[in-house]
Amino acid sequence: SIADPFLISTSIINLQRLGLITVKEANIVSENYQELKNHPFTLARITMFEGYGRQFDVKMEEHAIIVNNFGKQFARVCLSKDV
């Protein structure tokens, strides 16, 4: 469900805490970050926060989320998926 605006960030934090992914403060040259910033999901979340009537500091940063070797092994064993 995408109804919870914090679900994605919480999931990323938990996967990082478990050591399954690495978050790098860098961007991927071949990716179009502007497209992600203008995606309907992103724009809907910004509109939702603005509608709360409180000031929210919405900040978008260009990061890379990398599935590390431990995460790949976990996916292979537990989810039967190659990533």
Side-chain angles (χ1 to χ4, degrees):
S1 170
I2 59 171
D4 183 349
F6 302 105
L7 187 60
I8 294 174
S9 60
T10 302
S11 296
I12 292 170
I13 290 167
N14 280 327
L15 290 170
Q16 187 176 21
R17 181 182 56 80
L18 293 168
L20 301 173
I21 64 170
T22 303
V23 178
K24 298 280 189 180
E25 291 187 25
N27 61 22
I28 300 170
V29 176
S30 63
E31 287 300 317
N32 183 352
Y33 286 90
Q34 196 60 40
E35 186 176 314
L36 294 172
K37 291 175 183 178
N38 292 326
H39 191 277
F41 176 84
T42 306
L43 297 175
R45 291 300 164 269
I46 291 170
T47 301
M48 182 183 66
F49 281 114
E50 289 172 349
Y52 284 149
R54 296 187 283 171
Q55 242 350 342
F56 280 93
D57 184 20
V58 178
K59 181 172 64 170
M60 294 186 220
E61 299 176 350
E62 297 177 1
H63 285 62
I65 299 173
I66 302 160
V67 179
N68 58 34
N69 289 336
F70 183 57
K72 289 176 185 178
Q73 183 180 13
F74 176 86
R76 199 173 305 116
V77 171
C78 298
L79 307 174
S80 300
K81 300 277 184 185
D82 283 325
V83 290

